[in-house]
Each structure stands twice: as structure tokens, then as C-alpha cells.
Amino acid sequence: MKKVSSAVKKETLYIAVWVTFLSALLQSCFLITASWDISVLLGNILSGGVSVLNFFLMGLTVQKAVEKDEKDAKNTIKTSQSLRMLMIFVFAAVCVALPWFNTWSILIPLLFPRVAIMFRPLFDKKENRKDSGV
């Protein structure tokens, strides 16, 4: 297996930081509404880890696909996306069925990477301004 690129590492770290921040916010919401218990914490930690893993696997797939021709790259990405979605679906279904995890604390963190990606352009603009001296 090839070395993980620095871009994949950097972006995965960015997602992991956001997932951690949003997970703490989710825990706070459960505490404020007095509905927190250990199942919320366990579900949030596990689901947050799966969402970061999903993003990391996506990054590895893109890294591999860049080295292939267009047709093979499309097939690689489609296959990876299908397998990752299956992984998430099975994970969510099993965890929701088990009594050890709070359903919302399993499902909500799976959306955290999308929130992080949504905010990414704001931070890129700030970095570009610093680089250009504005």
C-alpha cells in the first residue's frame, strides 16, 4: 500500500477536529435537555469515529483514483462510495437496534463531516487572505 498523502492527512484532521467540536456540542445539548446518559456518549464516540473513518477512506480512494485513467478512476470511486455507504448503513442499523446506544447520538454524528465541509470555504478564504497579505 502506498503512503497516505499529506493532503488526505490534513483534510482528515480537519474533519476530525470538526467532528470532535460538534460531538461536544451534541453532548451539551443532551445535557441541557436532561436526557444525557452513557448511551449518548458511547453512540456519539462510535459514530463520530465511523464518520471520520468514512472520510479517510474516501480520501484514500481519491488518492488512488488520481493515478488511474478516467474510466478506472470512475469505477474505483463508484465502488468505494457504494461500499462506504453500505458500511455506514450496516453500522447505523446494528447500533440503532442495540440498546447500548442512543439512536440520535448514532445518526446525527454521521452528518458532521458534511457540516465541516460546508464551513471549509470560510476557512480557505481566511487562509488565502493571510497568504496574499490582505
Side-chain angles (χ1 to χ4, degrees):
M1 184 171 167
K2 291 193 174 196
K3 186 178 175 183
V4 178
S5 76
S6 61
V8 172
K9 290 177 185 176
K10 178 183 170 190
E11 294 304 316
T12 303
L13 179 62
Y14 171 81
I15 295 297
V17 167
W18 269 94
V19 167
T20 303
F21 170 73
L22 293 171
S23 292
L25 194 61
L26 181 65
Q27 293 295 311
S28 301
C29 291
F30 275 95
L31 281 168
I32 290 169
T33 60
S35 56
W36 189 91
D37 63 9
I38 194 69
S39 69
V40 173
L41 180 63
L42 294 174
N44 195 345
I45 290 171
L46 189 60
S47 187
V50 167
S51 64
V52 172
L53 174 65
N54 178 49
F55 187 85
F56 177 71
L57 294 174
M58 180 187 66
L60 287 180
T61 301
V62 170
Q63 180 181 328
K64 283 186 211 175
V66 168
E67 299 169 354
K68 298 182 178 189
D69 64 47
E70 187 177 344
K71 184 179 178 185
D72 287 341
K74 283 183 181 180
N75 288 337
T76 299
I77 289 175
K78 281 183 181 180
T79 302
S80 171
Q81 183 178 14
S82 297
L83 291 173
R84 287 183 297 106
M85 289 303 114
L86 179 63
M87 173 189 76
I88 288 174
F89 176 77
V90 169
F91 162 78
V94 168
C95 289
V96 166
L98 293 173
W100 308 311
F101 306 108
N102 178 286
T103 300
W104 293 112
S105 71
I106 286 292
L107 298 178
I108 293 173
L110 294 174
L111 302 173
F112 289 167
R114 290 190 184 264
V115 174
I117 292 167
M118 185 177 66
F119 281 101
R120 186 64 180 188
L122 296 175
F123 294 104
D124 286 344
K125 286 181 184 177
K126 287 181 182 177
E127 288 176 10
N128 289 340
R129 281 191 216 142
K130 287 178 185 175
D131 293 342
S132 65
V134 177

